[in-house]
Amino acid sequence: MSFKAAAVQMCSGVDPEKNAAAMARLVREAAAQGATYVQTPEMTGMLQRDRAAARAVLADETHDIIVKTGSELARELGIHMHVGSTAIALADGKIANRGFLFGPDGRIVNRYDKIHMFDVDLDNGESWRESAAYTAGSEARVLSLPFAEMGFAICYDVRFPALFRAQAVAGAEVMTVPAAFTKQTGEAHWEILLRARAIENGVFVIAAAQAGRHEDGRETFGHSMIIDPWGTVLASAGATGEAVIVAEIDPAAVKAAHDKIPNLRNGREFSVEKIAGAVAGGVAA
């Protein structure tokens, strides 16, 4: 059966309580538009480059304000509420970049810890070492919901197509990619990557994003998107500021895409052999 999905675009700051209030306002707006599944961005609860300052306000899952608010919103609105991710304090002193999906009764029905850490040096001088503070996840899941089979990813995960293919082969019809893409990488690759993951797997992709200039000085790309299995952008937001985008998701469109391009069925195992390159007078035998 079809359902209405929403992606909530935010510009999270350094105060989790203020971010929780902003999330609640936007999620209620999405539900008022008929959305029964609502997704927020990566790091909904706080974007804070000062790790000491971040640790001072982090909480474990039981006491986290975003987890509490997400649960309350799901129950109040009778929706599936997906906190794209928030920073959760772990017992060993490190942090999990963890997403939560709450059922309409407010209970957690899925957790997902971001698998691929954003450890990069960009041309504009930005340097990121997510692995220095965060513990990487190691488990992908496909969750059977009343309205669709759902797979999970977070931000940098989108650059690893094997994760999406594995979930699609396992039956995922909708892939979720909450993100806080940098402005530089977003301008280069955001839409292309999201549409590629949708097309190559014949699935819907829902990607709620952080957007604009944040209190900690970073700038994120925005452009939250909902994309269908043929790669068509059904809804998108702008480059900056808060937004709510909504689109109708019909899982039957996934089967239709797979029938047209049955690449999941046609995939084959193969080996890779590395050989010597060209030699003088021709190609190596």
Side-chain angles (χ1 to χ4, degrees):
M1 62 181 181
S2 64
F3 66 99
K4 192 168 284 189
V8 167
Q9 183 161 290
M10 298 178 65
C11 186
S12 295
V14 299
D15 184 338
E17 291 196 5
K18 289 182 180 179
N19 296 329
M23 176 182 76
R25 173 172 45 81
L26 292 164
V27 169
R28 289 191 179 101
E29 181 181 331
Q33 294 184 43
T36 56
Y37 163 86
V38 182
Q39 179 192 127
T40 69
E42 179 185 27
M43 288 297 155
T44 291
M46 178 174 54
L47 279 175
Q48 171 61 278
R49 297 186 73 167
D50 184 330
R51 286 177 175 161
R55 288 179 189 279
V57 297
L58 282 182
D60 62 22
E61 187 176 300
T62 304
H63 300 94
D64 183 78
I65 183 65
I66 297 296
V67 174
K68 179 176 182 290
T69 304
S71 173
E72 291 171 349
L73 286 167
R75 186 167 52 250
E76 170 196 335
L77 301 169
I79 62 173
H80 279 83
M81 169 67 197
H82 183 182
V83 172
S85 88
T86 198
I88 296 295
L90 301 178
D92 63 2
K94 294 198 81 172
I95 306 167
N97 187 345
R98 181 170 294 167
F100 296 88
L101 182 64
F102 301 91
D105 61 359
R107 288 188 288 186
I108 296 170
V109 296
N110 189 61
R111 296 171 177 83
Y112 172 73
D113 287 359
K114 183 177 181 180
I115 292 173
H116 299 97
M117 298 288 95
F118 190 55
D119 291 355
V120 302
D121 299 301
L122 301 178
D123 291 342
N124 65 358
E126 291 183 43
S127 184
W128 302 91
R129 291 293 179 272
E130 197 171 23
S131 63
Y134 290 83
T135 296
S138 60
E139 184 177 89
R141 290 179 176 174
V142 174
L143 183 65
S144 294
L145 294 168
F147 46 83
E149 301 290 310
M150 184 169 286
F152 298 85
I154 295 174
C155 201
Y156 191 48
D157 283 336
V158 77
R159 293 186 182 273
F160 299 85
L163 173 63
F164 290 75
R165 177 48 59 98
Q167 292 181 79
V169 169
E173 299 165 319
V174 178
M175 293 296 307
T176 60
V177 194
F181 246 63
T182 68
K183 185 173 185 292
Q184 184 183 15
T185 58
E187 288 173 342
H189 298 143
W190 171 248
E191 181 175 341
I192 294 170
L193 286 168
L194 292 175
R195 294 181 70 191
R197 297 298 87 85
I199 293 165
E200 66 199 8
N201 296 300
V203 296
F204 286 92
V205 170
I206 304 173
Q210 294 282 356
R213 179 74 65 177
H214 298 263
E215 285 181 306
D216 71 346
R218 83 182 73 193
E219 192 170 3
T220 51
F221 184 63
H223 297 282
S224 299
M225 290 187 181
I226 302 176
I227 302 166
D228 78 5
W230 207 244
T232 302
V233 178
L234 301 178
S236 63
T240 60
E242 296 177 343
V244 174
I245 60 171
V246 178
E248 195 75 21
I249 306 296
D250 184 1
V254 175
K255 182 181 184 306
H258 291 170
D259 287 343
K260 291 175 183 176
I261 309 289
N263 64 333
L264 295 183
R265 295 199 306 269
N266 294 161
R268 297 185 62 190
E269 296 294 327
F270 56 88
S271 61
V272 176
E273 182 182 1
K274 187 174 181 179
I275 62 173
V279 296
V283 177

